Amino acid sequence: MRTIADRWMSEPPGPDAGNLPPAMIASPGAGEGQTCAARQKGWLLARMTGNKPSVLLVEDARALAETYRAYLAPQDLEVHVVTTGAEAMEHVAAHAPGVVVLDVNLPDGNGLDVLKRIKARGAPCEVVLITGKASVNIAVEAMREGAFDFVMKPFTADRLRVTVRNALDRLQLASRLEELGGEIGADGFEGMIGRSPAMQAVYRLIGSAAPTSATVFISGESGTGKELCAHAIHALSKRAAGPLVSINCAAIPRGMQESEIFGHARGAFTGAVSERKGAMLSADGGTLFLDEVCEMDPDLQTRMLRVLQEKAVRRVGEDHMRPVDVRIVCATNRDPEAEVAAGRFREDLYYRLHVMPVELPPLRARGGDAVLIARHFLRQFAEEDGKRFRDFTADCERALAACAWPGNIRQLQNAIRRAVVLNDGELMEAGMLPAQPQGQADIPPPVPVPAVSPAGVGVTGIPADAQAGNGAAMRGEAGPDIRPLDTVIREAIESAISLCGGNIPRAAQALKVSPSTLYRRLQSWNGQGRAPAGGRGDAPPDEGPFSER
């Protein structure tokens, strides 16, 4: 794959080269060019590994140049100063700086012409233009020619610092995405399989978030690959050489979560016969993956918030803090905003963790990815079990693509595993697949009409006249006592909320469903123009929980 630097060295000067002075279009010889290309590739690598970024100041007034250098000093940059356009082109060719801060008025030409020349050669740098003239036309032309930004004299130190830093950040992101370009767009990415548009968007989001230190919040249904996503983020981060510690908050008894995450000293409690480092300290210098984070004990959420704020942890049974440098990646299959609304997850911790959200789509929303993933599992399991399977028949592929896979990738993996165990052959046929809960068209199977006992009651305990009505419905006739299912559900929910005094979480507990389910139902009904009777969480009865205030 050709990098930006490769293209810059191999492409000829653009058609605008004739507008520049001869000294400004001089290019290095063959030997020098090879050395320059190597330097530029080294520059790109240095940018990814955290070395000092380089900035070139092109300013003919020495006093101003030194002032700008002083402005940028706090940012730990390698700053070089030249006074002419010709010197600028020579420096860009030899050193490939990250940002060129370019005065429009130069002794040997116009700064806009230098900008055009840099962009025509594809130099791997961003250009910031400086002018003392309040000309909108110059600004428009500069942005049209590819300038990153445009600053006007006089400007403050903060204005220059922010502009240069933003230019460097964009260049770093562009370099990272270019490096990932060979992987993004293929059938997979860092162990994740799929080429659907939904997954391509996820890959690009991971590629953007991974090199940063931002906390990542992964959401998605069970079985969509949240842990695999966390592994990809860690592998592409600057902490890849450090540990990745995974902990499932739902799998740990609530009384043990504090010790598992933060650790404990010996003798801290009954049974603590030895000290425990804890997941947080074990992940020092690396990444801590908190799976099912919404299951975290409320008291523990307060401690987690303090650890994130102070970057230090106190183990159970100790009275001193231990510094810790860890990046948090968390995941949940719940609706985090509904958990916050229900009071089960701290709002301040949610905003602290929900910095870079990544939502994984369910398998049913990923087009043909189900077949790609199934083929991967088929070949993997066939090799493990010594079977001959290498692919699917066309009918089998259609069956795989048609299934809704409510259990997502985990359900698909289980189905292919079972089919490989029970069958053998070159191609797997549709008939070899185990029966799955399809859900393709959301059409329930026909309900059989049970026999009626002499007492007038069906074998299921349903009165005979009601069963007769059910049979009429099966024949396309309207049953006398049958009401739409949605109406029955709505009445049950409204009744439960009313009996619980408008407390939605308590009503959800009584109905044995998640509060988020009730909130979604209420939101849907409110959108239809009628608020449920008495339905509220913390909102007044006449407003409902989703109205604007």
Side-chain angles (χ1 to χ4, degrees):
M1 182 179 64
R2 300 175 71 209
T3 64
I4 296 174
D6 292 327
R7 291 198 301 271
W8 182 43
M9 291 310 304
S10 62
E11 292 173 359
D16 60 327
N19 298 328
L20 301 177
M24 294 174 62
I25 61 174
S27 59
E32 293 177 346
Q34 185 176 6
T35 303
C36 184
R39 286 175 179 170
Q40 290 156 9
K41 291 178 182 177
W43 173 84
L44 292 174
L45 180 60
R47 178 164 299 285
M48 293 309 300
T49 55
N51 290 356
K52 275 188 179 183
S54 175
V55 175
L56 175 64
L57 294 177
V58 188
E59 172 60 64
D60 60 314
R62 281 291 180 182
L64 286 177
E66 291 306 317
T67 300
Y68 301 158
R69 186 198 290 270
Y71 283 175
L72 297 175
Q75 293 199 316
D76 194 27
L77 303 171
E78 184 179 342
V79 181
H80 300 273
V81 178
V82 297
T83 58
T84 66
E87 291 175 351
M89 291 304 300
E90 290 174 3
H91 185 94
V92 169
H95 303 287
V99 176
V100 177
V101 180
L102 178 63
D103 197 337
V104 169
N105 299 306
L106 297 173
D108 60 344
N110 189 301
L112 284 174
D113 293 333
V114 180
L115 166 65
K116 294 175 185 178
R117 176 63 177 159
I118 292 174
K119 292 303 176 181
R121 297 297 297 269
C125 61
E126 297 290 352
V127 179
V128 176
L129 253 70
I130 297 176
T131 182
K133 298 179 179 179
S135 172
V136 176
N137 292 333
I138 293 178
V140 171
E141 185 177 359
M143 302 306 287
R144 185 185 297 123
E145 294 297 336
F148 173 78
D149 204 348
F150 181 92
V151 291
M152 198 175 304
K153 299 176 184 177
F155 50 84
T156 64
D158 284 342
R159 174 73 170 96
L160 183 61
R161 288 173 193 157
V162 170
T163 302
V164 170
R165 177 52 56 190
N166 289 343
L168 288 169
D169 287 345
R170 188 170 84 166
L171 192 63
Q172 182 181 25
L173 179 57
S175 299
R176 186 58 176 165
L177 291 179
E178 182 177 25
E179 181 183 331
L180 298 173
E183 301 173 63
I184 297 176
D187 290 348
F189 175 76
E190 288 294 324
M192 306 174 75
I193 301 173
R195 60 186 174 203
S196 63
M199 288 307 294
Q200 295 295 316
V202 170
Y203 299 159
R204 296 187 185 280
L205 195 55
I206 293 174
S208 299
T212 72
S213 59
T215 301
V216 180
F217 199 107
I218 308 168
S219 59
E221 297 178 6
S222 294
T224 50
K226 294 186 287 294
E227 186 167 0
L228 200 58
C229 179
H231 278 264
I233 292 169
H234 175 73
L236 294 172
S237 72
K238 298 175 182 178
R239 299 171 176 265
L244 170 62
V245 178
S246 301
I247 190 164
N248 190 318
C249 299
I252 305 172
R254 295 217 163 183
M256 297 296 296
Q257 285 184 1
E258 185 177 26
S259 173
E260 289 291 328
I261 296 176
F262 301 119
H264 63 255
R266 181 180 179 182
F269 50 84
T270 303
V273 295
S274 61
E275 68 174 19
R276 186 176 186 84
K277 194 172 184 179
M280 185 71 73
L281 289 171
S282 297
D284 190 30
T287 304
L288 176 62
F289 175 49
L290 297 174
D291 198 6
E292 303 302 342
V293 69
C294 287
E295 301 293 337
M296 186 180 291
D297 184 86
D299 293 336
L300 201 62
Q301 293 176 27
T302 304
R303 282 205 61 186
M304 178 62 70
L305 180 64
R306 183 178 179 185
V307 168
L308 295 178
Q309 290 172 339
E310 300 182 358
K311 298 188 183 301
V313 60
R314 181 177 60 82
R315 299 194 305 181
V316 178
E318 291 184 340
D319 57 2
H320 62 279
M321 304 293 286
R322 297 172 180 260
V324 63
D325 174 27
V326 64
R327 181 190 193 173
I328 302 294
V329 176
C330 52
T332 183
N333 60 4
R334 296 192 178 190
D335 180 352
E337 293 184 357
E339 295 298 301
V340 171
R344 288 188 295 270
F345 200 78
R346 289 182 62 105
E347 185 176 21
D348 47 4
L349 179 60
Y350 168 70
Y351 287 118
R352 174 73 69 168
L353 296 175
H354 201 263
V355 176
M356 181 62 69
V358 177
E359 184 173 358
L360 295 181
L363 193 53
R364 61 183 175 275
R366 292 175 53 179
D369 284 354
V371 176
L372 288 176
I373 298 170
R375 185 174 291 113
H376 166 78
F377 288 139
L378 177 72
R379 293 171 180 171
Q380 175 187 332
F381 297 146
E383 182 178 356
E384 291 176 0
D385 297 345
K387 299 296 181 79
R388 294 176 295 154
F389 288 119
R390 56 181 176 81
D391 214 334
F392 302 103
T393 64
D395 287 343
C396 189
E397 287 189 0
R398 283 192 290 270
L400 290 168
C403 184
W405 302 111
N408 294 297
I409 298 173
R410 193 172 291 121
Q411 180 191 359
L412 175 61
Q413 181 183 23
N414 180 278
I416 300 300
R417 181 55 150 166
R418 209 178 328 166
V420 170
V421 168
L422 298 176
N423 302 278
D424 198 5
E426 292 287 330
L427 299 176
M428 179 170 286
E429 301 175 1
M432 298 178 180
L433 296 173
Q436 299 296 325
Q438 300 290 314
Q440 298 148 283
D442 296 326
I443 300 176
V447 181
V449 181
V452 180
S453 68
V457 178
V459 294
T460 59
I462 301 174
D465 56 349
Q467 293 184 7
N470 185 41
M474 291 179 59
R475 295 189 297 271
E477 303 169 14
D481 297 321
I482 297 178
R483 292 178 298 151
L485 179 61
D486 189 63
T487 301
V488 176
I489 293 174
R490 182 169 187 160
E491 290 176 355
I493 291 175
E494 291 179 351
S495 175
I497 293 175
S498 177
L499 291 172
C500 292
N503 189 309
I504 292 177
R506 189 183 303 168
Q509 185 177 7
L511 292 169
K512 298 187 183 302
V513 297
S514 168
S516 60
T517 300
L518 299 192
Y519 280 114
R520 283 194 296 268
R521 291 273 184 177
L522 295 174
Q523 187 176 31
S524 172
W525 294 332
N526 284 349
Q528 297 172 5
R530 182 172 81 89
R536 58 184 176 91
D538 296 325
D542 59 338
E543 291 185 333
F546 297 98
S547 59
E548 296 183 0
R549 303 189 184 184

